[in-house]
Amino acid sequence: MSEAAVLRVLSDSEIAEIHEAAITVLQECGVFIDYPRALEHLASKGALVDFASRRVRFPRSLVENALKTCPSSFILHDRDGNPAVRVGGDEVHFATGSCAIRYQEDGSARSSVAEDLVRLVRVADALPQVELQSTAVVAGEAPKTLADTYRLYLVLKNSAKPVITGAFSEHGLWDMRSLLDAVTGGQVEDAPCAVFDVCPSPPLKWTAIGAANVMDGASAGLPIEFVSMPMPGAASPATLAGSVVIHTAETLSGVVLAQTVRPGARLVWGGAPVQFDMRYGTTPLSAVEATMIAVATAQMGKYYGLPTHTYAGLSDSKLVDAQAGLETALSGLLAALARVNLIAGAGALDFVGTQSCEKLVIDAEVCGMVQRLLRGVEVSSETLATRLIMELGPGGEYLSQAHTRRWFKKEAYLPGPVIDRLDRKGWEQKGGTGALARAREQVQRILAEHQPRGLEPDRASGLDEAMRRVMAARGCSSLPFVPGC
């Protein structure tokens, strides 16, 4: 089968140039790490640490040795311990966007609450094109001290799919680990069902929380996804190449930190590049330049032999409109053609600040069409169908042929009711609605009919108990959807 060609925006020699530039930055400039434990640890491993300025410089050999111990791929499992997706190679998987603070319904956005996250998770659970969940929105009811843990709890309660998440504090990672231990029966290291996003602070800085999450995630056996955020002209050079150098240097510093804590730690070379729009001071993730940086950084990740991730397949529009459709499709398609392993963004609007169930079901069709494109064109004696063509000859009728019955469902991606393919008369008879109205109907249908796979009673009660323990430790007496409190 001939798969779609892999998109590249960097030649091999340009990749080597960027690598050398990043090594130079790490050796001569270094990164700022606002976390004494990380400074002491890196100094003990051969980094050159100025404790007064908290500046860390990395010898080339330290970087190269760290890269040698990184796994090139790993398996993410579902909540129930079944292998779900392989992260690595040229495999492409789509996930919902994460960490929004607003939920949009019927064109109106408001601060998100727990019920919104439950709706998003249950809708995503029903969409086979979206293989991973994320902790898509914050739940406003939760205090800041357990906002991260509560998001993960709601996802684990409502879907078995693997999840991309992240901690907001040092203790948050361990609280979340306790939920994963409860739901997996202590198999979180052997059969991980969650990836933890950790973000450096551009340019070339790690906060105490970020550095702690890298070190603790590695020691706890949790897969870590680095999400560097180059911002051309604001937090990285205005040039795309310079922004990739910043991304590479930041991420390599994270690789060293994780691999020196635990050689073999599972890492993902991720990112959330943006284009800084000087006219408005905004940071569109769906700008074509942002996606070009994403493709370039994915090439760097593949050069180092690491699994890759990016934010794409999303939009900066405030509405589920034509802009949302074109930005989502363009960025998602380009990232997929670059074979980025994890593409996070489905459902996201407004600089990933807003999530919409209606957009999520539309985006799922984008994901499905892109996956079909990646599958390519199968060429064999059966698919060439030369004998059939000759048998039927000029003017032949193919509709009733057994060959047609064997192949039409295999060859075509058949979208759901959100995508209109009726003739005009049929469309008018169905109400003559647009995509957004059909998406609303699809969301309502899923929420009314879809039943996510439930947790076994023992594991469900264990998860509830783990959440209640975290709440008690953080001084919270009750939260929606947590029974017994």
Side-chain angles (χ1 to χ4, degrees):
M1 181 178 293
S2 298
E3 297 180 348
V6 177
L7 175 64
R8 294 165 56 90
V9 295
L10 299 173
S11 67
D12 289 345
S13 63
E14 289 165 342
I15 290 172
E17 283 187 67
I18 290 172
H19 168 68
E20 288 302 321
I23 291 293
T24 299
V25 169
L26 288 172
Q27 288 190 130
E28 299 182 12
C29 171
V31 301
F32 173 84
I33 302 180
D34 193 19
Y35 191 51
R37 179 160 67 102
L39 298 178
E40 293 167 3
H41 168 78
L42 288 167
S44 73
K45 298 298 181 181
L48 306 176
V49 178
D50 182 333
F51 286 90
S53 66
R54 303 192 175 189
R55 186 79 68 92
V56 181
R57 293 175 174 82
F58 296 80
R60 175 188 293 268
S61 60
L62 187 60
V63 177
E64 292 175 346
N65 288 335
L67 285 167
K68 290 176 183 175
T69 58
C70 294
S72 60
S73 67
F74 60 89
I75 302 295
L76 267 180
H77 295 68
D78 66 17
R79 181 196 60 195
D80 302 326
N82 304 303
V85 298
R86 175 176 176 266
V87 188
D90 281 342
E91 296 192 22
V92 174
H93 308 285
F94 289 96
T96 52
S98 65
C99 212
I101 58 173
R102 289 178 293 273
Y103 180 76
Q104 183 157 308
E105 195 170 31
D106 296 331
S108 177
R110 53 170 171 72
S111 297
S112 53
V113 295
E115 175 70 26
D116 302 327
L117 179 53
V118 170
R119 287 164 61 89
L120 284 160
V121 171
R122 293 175 75 89
V123 170
D125 188 77
L127 302 172
Q129 306 96 325
V130 180
E131 295 172 89
L132 295 95
Q133 296 277 359
S134 76
T135 38
V137 294
V138 297
E141 301 94 328
K144 289 178 65 175
T145 51
L146 46 73
D148 46 11
T149 309
Y150 185 46
R151 292 188 313 165
L152 180 61
Y153 169 78
L154 293 174
V155 174
L156 294 173
K157 287 283 284 188
N158 289 282
S159 177
K161 291 184 178 182
V163 56
I164 299 175
T165 187
F168 298 160
S169 65
E170 286 190 53
H171 67 75
L173 184 135
W174 294 108
D175 290 346
M176 296 166 78
R177 161 75 194 245
S178 72
L179 298 191
L180 293 170
D181 277 336
V183 81
T184 64
Q187 298 300 307
V188 67
E189 289 193 43
D190 296 332
C193 64
V195 176
F196 279 70
D197 283 350
V198 184
C199 307
S201 298
L204 303 173
K205 295 192 300 183
W206 288 93
T207 64
I209 293 173
N213 282 177
V214 171
M215 297 182 72
D216 294 340
S219 69
L222 302 171
I224 299 168
E225 185 168 86
F226 297 114
V227 185
S228 173
M229 303 173 66
M231 190 182 300
S236 61
T239 54
L240 303 192
S243 295
V244 178
V245 171
I246 289 281
H247 179 285
T248 303
E250 286 179 351
T251 309
L252 284 175
S253 67
V255 168
V256 173
L257 184 56
Q259 292 298 319
T260 51
V261 168
R262 182 168 179 167
R266 289 163 288 203
L267 306 177
V268 180
W269 187 275
V274 302
Q275 174 62 37
F276 187 71
D277 194 315
M278 299 286 184
R279 299 169 300 171
Y280 311 115
T282 55
T283 55
L285 289 90
S286 58
V288 69
E289 298 83 1
T291 308
M292 292 169 70
I293 295 173
V295 172
T297 59
Q299 285 189 252
M300 297 306 300
K302 291 178 183 293
Y303 170 73
Y304 296 123
L306 269 69
T308 56
H309 153 277
T310 195
Y311 276 84
L314 42 69
S315 173
D316 300 306
S317 175
K318 312 304 175 289
L319 298 172
V320 184
D321 59 4
Q323 178 184 339
L326 75 89
E327 289 179 341
T328 298
L330 179 63
S331 64
L333 177 61
L334 293 178
L337 287 175
R339 303 303 194 272
V340 178
N341 300 133
L342 299 177
I343 301 174
L349 291 163
D350 190 9
F351 312 105
V352 296
T354 302
Q355 272 279 340
S356 158
C357 281
E358 287 83 4
K359 183 173 186 295
L360 178 56
V361 298
I362 296 173
D363 291 355
E365 300 298 352
V366 175
C367 301
M369 293 180 192
V370 169
Q371 290 284 20
R372 174 62 189 95
L373 172 68
L374 296 181
R375 190 153 56 88
V377 177
E378 180 178 343
V379 177
S380 66
S381 59
E382 171 70 5
T383 60
L384 288 171
T386 311
R387 181 177 296 279
L388 178 64
I389 294 169
M390 293 192 295
E391 285 177 358
L392 298 179
E397 182 272 303
Y398 288 86
L399 193 58
S400 62
Q401 300 300 314
H403 185 275
T404 301
R405 292 194 294 275
R406 282 199 303 276
W407 281 95
F408 82 98
K409 286 186 178 179
K410 295 178 183 175
E411 288 287 78
Y413 170 73
L414 299 177
V418 168
I419 302 299
D420 167 47
R421 289 186 176 173
L422 295 168
D423 60 20
R424 177 163 290 277
K425 182 178 179 181
W427 172 72
E428 290 173 346
Q429 289 174 341
K430 285 279 189 177
T433 56
L436 180 56
R438 295 192 295 274
R440 288 182 184 132
E441 293 174 1
Q442 177 73 347
V443 169
Q444 294 305 317
R445 191 159 41 245
I446 290 172
L447 292 174
E449 299 175 359
H450 176 67
Q451 290 297 319
R453 191 167 78 223
L455 270 168
E456 297 168 358
D458 287 352
R459 290 196 298 142
S461 61
L463 178 61
D464 293 338
E465 180 57 33
M467 186 66 214
R468 287 192 291 268
R469 283 197 297 270
V470 172
M471 291 168 59
R474 306 301 164 207
C476 179
S477 59
S478 67
L479 282 171
F481 302 106
V482 182
C485 63

